[in-house]
């Protein structure tokens, strides 16, 4: 029993250390830029030895990749977006309107974490082509998520007739983009609730039947 408890504590401690390193990397990468930030600086910020970062991630590129993945997921669990509870709950919604509401809410939570690092990620990839190679160039994972949602949504009661899954996917991809989110929330000072309400109402107007009265 004691041995099992010790093992569980070791796992928890390792996860907490990993989170500290990722949080330190996020802060420094966003503030100073990926290229200008050293692993020693991240280690100092996280309160660990630089060797711990090398042992955990291997190199700075892998650390950046995991930072992006964790920002999307919201945790350290290796569960794809389309297997996440919020996405499955949205797919299970019985009407197009209900599906959109849940999809916009789930996307908002991702954008809160991801939008602030998008510009940094692009700058890092432009400066170091090996960074971009860590992702699959054949498909945009963000578009794949929205297209999967769109395919389910357009088949539900309340969906606007004549709107294809591809068109709905394009609208979700564009209106729920980190760039548009940053334009309203960061640049124009919108609250998160105001952005969510605008995104939801705009998409419902485009993709759902008009309600009587």
């Amino acid at each position: 029993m004691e041995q099992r408890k010790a093992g569980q504590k070791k796992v928890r401690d390792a996860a907490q250390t990993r989170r500290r390193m990722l949080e330190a990397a996020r802060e420094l990468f966003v503030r100073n830029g990926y290229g200008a930030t050293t692993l020693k600086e991240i280690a100092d910020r996280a309160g660990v030895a630089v060797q711990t970062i090398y042992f955990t991630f291997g190199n700075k590129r892998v650390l950046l990749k995991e930072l992006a993945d964790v920002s999307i997921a919201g945790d350290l669990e290796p569960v794809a977006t389309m297997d996440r509870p919020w996405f499955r709950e949205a797919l299970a919604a019985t009407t197009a309107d209900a599906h959109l509401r849940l999809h916009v809410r789930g996307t908002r939570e991702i954008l809160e974490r991801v939008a602030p690092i998008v510009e940094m990620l692009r700058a890092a990839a432009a400066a170091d082509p090996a960074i971009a190679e860590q992702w699959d160039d054949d498909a945009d994972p963000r578009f794949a998520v929205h297209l999967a949602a769109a395919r389910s949504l357009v088949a539900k009661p309340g969906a606007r007739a004549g709107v294809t899954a591809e068109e709905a996917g394009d609208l979700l991809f564009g209106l729920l983009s980190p760039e548009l989110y940053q334009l309203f929330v960061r640049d124009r000072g919108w609250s998160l609730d105001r952005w969510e309400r605008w995104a939801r109402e705009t998409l419902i107007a485009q993709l759902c039947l008009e309600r009587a009265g």
Side-chain angles (χ1 to χ4, degrees), residues 28-82:
L28 292 172
F29 286 161
V30 171
R31 187 179 70 194
N32 302 330
Y34 170 81
T37 300
T38 67
L39 291 181
K40 177 66 165 57
E41 290 170 329
I42 295 171
D44 290 344
R45 185 72 177 174
V48 300
V50 70
Q51 289 84 358
T52 302
I53 294 184
Y54 281 112
F55 177 79
T56 305
F57 300 103
N59 59 53
K60 193 163 73 164
R61 294 190 190 103
V62 175
L63 172 57
L64 180 69
K65 172 66 163 59
E66 183 159 334
L67 172 61
D69 291 344
V70 169
S71 296
I72 293 169
D75 56 44
L76 298 176
E77 297 301 317
V79 179
T81 299
M82 286 187 277

Side-chain angles (χ1 to χ4, degrees), residues 18-169:
R18 196 181 199 97
R19 277 192 289 270
R20 285 206 316 275
M21 291 186 286
L22 288 167
E23 288 166 4
R26 178 188 180 91
E27 179 182 341
L28 292 172
F29 286 161
V30 171
R31 187 179 70 194
N32 302 330
Y34 170 81
T37 300
T38 67
L39 291 181
K40 177 66 165 57
E41 290 170 329
I42 295 171
D44 290 344
R45 185 72 177 174
V48 300
V50 70
Q51 289 84 358
T52 302
I53 294 184
Y54 281 112
F55 177 79
T56 305
F57 300 103
N59 59 53
K60 193 163 73 164
R61 294 190 190 103
V62 175
L63 172 57
L64 180 69
K65 172 66 163 59
E66 183 159 334
L67 172 61
D69 291 344
V70 169
S71 296
I72 293 169
D75 56 44
L76 298 176
E77 297 301 317
V79 179
T81 299
M82 286 187 277
D83 293 324
R84 293 270 163 178
W86 74 266
F87 191 84
R88 307 307 300 180
E89 181 183 358
L91 288 182
T94 57
T95 66
D97 174 289
H99 189 159
L100 266 178
R101 291 174 184 275
L102 291 169
H103 188 75
V104 171
R105 169 51 62 91
T107 302
R108 165 187 163 169
E109 293 174 357
I110 292 176
L111 288 174
E112 286 183 62
R113 299 186 298 266
V114 171
I117 69 171
V118 166
E119 291 179 8
M120 178 274 294
L121 287 171
R122 286 179 177 157
D128 183 355
I131 290 174
E133 293 173 1
Q134 296 183 110
W135 282 273
D136 183 0
D137 291 334
D138 294 334
D140 186 319
R142 191 172 71 82
F143 179 72
V145 168
H146 288 309
L147 182 59
R151 285 173 174 155
S152 175
L153 190 150
V154 298
K156 290 178 177 175
R160 186 179 291 277
V163 178
T164 66
E166 288 71 22
E167 181 181 356

Side-chain angles (χ1 to χ4, degrees), residues 8 35 53 71 90 101 116 193 195 208:
Q8 291 172 340
I53 294 184
S71 296
R101 291 174 184 275
D193 287 342
W195 175 87
C208 298

